[in-house]
Amino acid sequence: MWLRTENGRYFHLRDQFRPVIYAAGGPHMLRKLVERLAELEALAAEPRFVVKRGFYSNAPIRALELRIAKPSVLRTIRRKLYAFYRKLDIYHADIEPVTGYLFERGVYPLARVRAACNSGPGAYIQSLELCEDPADCEYELPPLKTLKIETLYSHRLGISRNNPLLIEVGAKRRLLRENSLADVVRQLNEILRAEDPDILLSAYGDQMILPALFEAAQRVGLALNLDRDPVPNQRRILRKGSSYNTYGSWIYMAPSYPLFGRWHIDRANSFVYRESDLSGVIELARLSRMPVQKLSRSSTGAALTSIETHVALSLGYLAPWQKSSVEDEKTAYELLEADKGALIYVPDASESCVYENAAQLDYAQMYPSIMALHNVSPETVNCLCCPDAADAPGASTAAEQPMNSRVPEIGYRLCARRRGVVSLSLEELLRRRKIYKSRIKEIKTQLQNGTASFAERAALETERARLDSRQSSLKWTLVTSFGYLGYRNAKFGKIESHESVTAFGREKLLVAKELSESRGFRLLHAITDSVFILRDGAALDRAELAELCGEISERARVEMSLEGVYSWLVFPPSRVDAAMTVVNRYFGRFTDGELKCRGLFSRRKDAPAFIRDAQLALLERMRRADSVAALRVMHGEQVELWRELDEQLRAQRVAWPELLLRKTASRELDQYAVRNGGFHAMHQLRELGVEISPGEKVRYLALVPGGRTPRYMAEERAQINYGTRSNPPIDANFYRKLLWQAFEEVWSYFAPAAFFAEFPDDQLRLALASEV
């Protein structure tokens, strides 16, 4: 453990920790388990029987307590335990050693503590006391020094004089253009000694930079001083990560290169960092008791599971090792009734696609709120501790049961004797996010008042960004929470609890619909937790809408708020059926001038940056119009802007990095049957000695083929052949087609009727007729 004092000094300390696992089952199998652990010399004490509480049964369980000799043995034990799977019930074996240590000690990353230890090198902690409230949202963090490291161009080109390392500390930037990797290691060691950073923030550090540097250092016998730990750490050099398929999508996980005494965060290998920055990573690490480096490389679902595990242990449960709850047997009719998902109502595109004076009302974090409010958790839905609803404490008849003791429509029972682990976990996350959002709103008001000085405004902006990062990390964890209830590998998951949430959700959306219609509004669109309403031929009164939200909130018991009133709103029709709209595709302008867009080119990560920016420029002009009539008047200037952008493509004046398309590899190169752009990019990368695994993303250009010029060119090949100062022969018509489609997507509803049926020239017409 590393401790940092108030004055900034660092101390490297040790502590003793012996993990505990539990096993329950027949005497014969328990004896065999103990014998196997004894063979591994894994036991630190004589096994003993204890009485703990079962997670699902809520009943006492007599379990064998096994104290493990050292944390490093746990991984070996987990491999051996599979031989006992389904023969014994095993608990706590999958808790990572560091997280288990933090659970047992009652501390977490960057906690304020008071520690006592013996003196001298390799000092051991004698006592560790937490000096702050874990529930406090106003915690302060020590100043942390960050060193940023990345390659100047694509990481797949490796580190070389032509692709040097870019080092940044504060305002200082430096390129390491050395003759060899060994020289780069020496220079980096000097920078580390001079700067002594707390955090190494990299781009593709796990996938390329660190393994390349460690490999070079080992080859020439140098020490790469990335760690602070006084004891050198030997690393196995891995360059290839792992790929897995989950629910139809391929995910690629790069190898992991954490540091000791410092943090290494690879922003290209961290969803949490990309979405919520360092403050969000630390917020989740504190709540989950996961080490910061591990959490940064994990999903928000893993963080949620760790939070739930901590709650389960604090309640005295035996946390299951593997998911042990299987779906209950159902008839075909029961399955049809229960497994319906969310409620959706789509606008009728045959009537109109464009609306004015429509309002959007949103439930705040509806699914997590349902789980917290209605006590929905794997162990509470059709629980084993009260199989008859009449057994609830203090109730003599079903009519006297607590409110919502049954799931609407499908009739599942909800436990009346205890709060669920998932429910309690989400309650805390919702509480914290509400506090952060409230504080952000206060800061926004302070900034709008205009009375703060320049220094005060800068401090407020910094505080707002920090709080926004924290609430963003909580938002993504809450978003994950619903899916994890039905996830096949979730430790705290059960399909019936997943179905219960959607049943409650359908009921609450109907409440919003019925109350809106009772006040004379017409339902335009509804999806899961949002409703779009309008009153034909009449403007909307915000005071009445606020009153409606209050009434819905009271009736549904989940907060409903006004997202905004749209000056104009568009629901584009489906390309398959023009009479239908697409559920999650719409765009519009709020009365305060803010735009909201979903499902457009400008939101697609696979589209070229130039096309995304072009559509955003068109939308930005549309933002000035406060009515459909005002939009139609803008046709001339919108066409003029499109022509300017189109001419940039025709004249080859767009820098090629702005035209890169992106594709996620869905299989190994040799398994592709269709030779599309992604295939050609992967093939060119193989020629450069780079193999792409499923789940990795490749970027490429569409070119005019001729001679040795291919139809598609990988980003890395373009960097080698053209650098950044010259352009390859871009297929202008290919990109003109994308630009035209992006223009049509947002403007076809306001242009003259025949405008998009006619084409400016034959080349664009032919491009539109061909496949992308």
Side-chain angles (χ1 to χ4, degrees), residues 354-411:
V354 182
Y355 301 88
E356 292 183 289
N357 294 317
Q360 180 180 350
L361 312 181
D362 285 352
Y363 279 115
Q365 294 283 334
M366 185 169 78
Y367 280 175
S369 297
I370 286 171
M371 290 181 249
L373 173 67
H374 295 290
N375 197 27
V376 178
S377 191
E379 77 278 25
T380 61
V381 176
N382 292 337
C383 64
L384 299 176
C385 58
C386 40
D388 185 356
D391 289 341
S396 57
T397 66
E400 296 173 2
Q401 290 305 301
M403 186 178 181
N404 297 314
S405 62
R406 292 270 177 178
V407 177
E409 190 179 355
I410 54 180

Side-chain angles (χ1 to χ4, degrees), residues 302-502:
L304 177 64
T305 299
S306 187
I307 293 169
E308 291 167 345
T309 301
H310 180 254
V311 171
L313 297 187
S314 67
L315 293 173
Y317 288 126
L318 286 172
W321 172 45
Q322 299 283 337
K323 180 175 180 177
S324 55
S325 174
V326 296
E327 184 172 0
D328 296 340
E329 287 187 3
K330 299 180 180 72
T331 66
Y333 179 75
E334 288 170 339
L335 184 64
L336 190 66
E337 281 290 293
D339 197 16
K340 289 182 179 177
L343 186 63
I344 293 170
Y345 178 89
V346 295
D348 184 357
S350 63
E351 174 190 341
S352 176
C353 294
V354 182
Y355 301 88
E356 292 183 289
N357 294 317
Q360 180 180 350
L361 312 181
D362 285 352
Y363 279 115
Q365 294 283 334
M366 185 169 78
Y367 280 175
S369 297
I370 286 171
M371 290 181 249
L373 173 67
H374 295 290
N375 197 27
V376 178
S377 191
E379 77 278 25
T380 61
V381 176
N382 292 337
C383 64
L384 299 176
C385 58
C386 40
D388 185 356
D391 289 341
S396 57
T397 66
E400 296 173 2
Q401 290 305 301
M403 186 178 181
N404 297 314
S405 62
R406 292 270 177 178
V407 177
E409 190 179 355
I410 54 180
Y412 294 157
R413 286 180 293 98
L414 294 172
C415 186
R417 285 191 164 93
R418 53 177 170 160
R419 286 293 305 278
V421 164
V422 170
S423 178
L424 286 169
S425 302
L426 296 182
E427 188 174 73
E428 173 62 9
L429 299 186
L430 288 164
R431 181 191 72 84
R432 296 180 74 90
R433 185 165 187 253
K434 188 174 183 179
I435 290 172
Y436 291 143
K437 292 196 75 174
S438 176
R439 178 62 183 140
I440 290 168
K441 191 174 181 180
E442 291 173 6
I443 292 173
K444 189 176 180 180
T445 302
Q446 288 177 267
L447 291 169
Q448 288 173 344
N449 289 340
T451 56
S453 66
F454 180 80
E456 289 170 336
R457 287 183 66 84
L460 287 171
E461 289 286 6
T462 301
E463 175 73 358
R464 180 168 71 167
R466 182 174 61 83
L467 294 173
D468 191 52
S469 294
R470 290 184 187 177
Q471 74 82 21
S472 179
S473 69
L474 295 176
K475 178 192 80 171
W476 285 110
T477 308
L478 289 165
V479 166
T480 304
S481 63
F482 167 65
Y484 255 62
L485 276 182
Y487 179 45
R488 62 190 174 209
N489 294 325
K491 180 198 285 279
F492 299 100
K494 184 179 180 181
I495 196 64
E496 284 75 20
S497 54
H498 187 273
E499 292 166 345
S500 299
V501 174
T502 57

Side-chain angles (χ1 to χ4, degrees), residues 121-143:
Y124 273 85
I125 293 174
Q126 295 172 331
S127 66
L128 194 64
E129 177 189 353
L130 184 64
C131 299
E132 62 182 12
D133 184 355
D136 188 7
C137 294
E138 298 296 326
Y139 60 87
E140 292 184 9
L141 300 177

Side-chain angles (χ1 to χ4, degrees), residues 610 652-660 701 724 726-728 730:
F610 177 81
Q652 304 274 344
R653 293 202 306 269
V654 182
W656 67 261
E658 295 293 304
L659 298 174
L660 288 165
L701 295 166
T724 55
S726 61
N727 262 4
I730 298 295

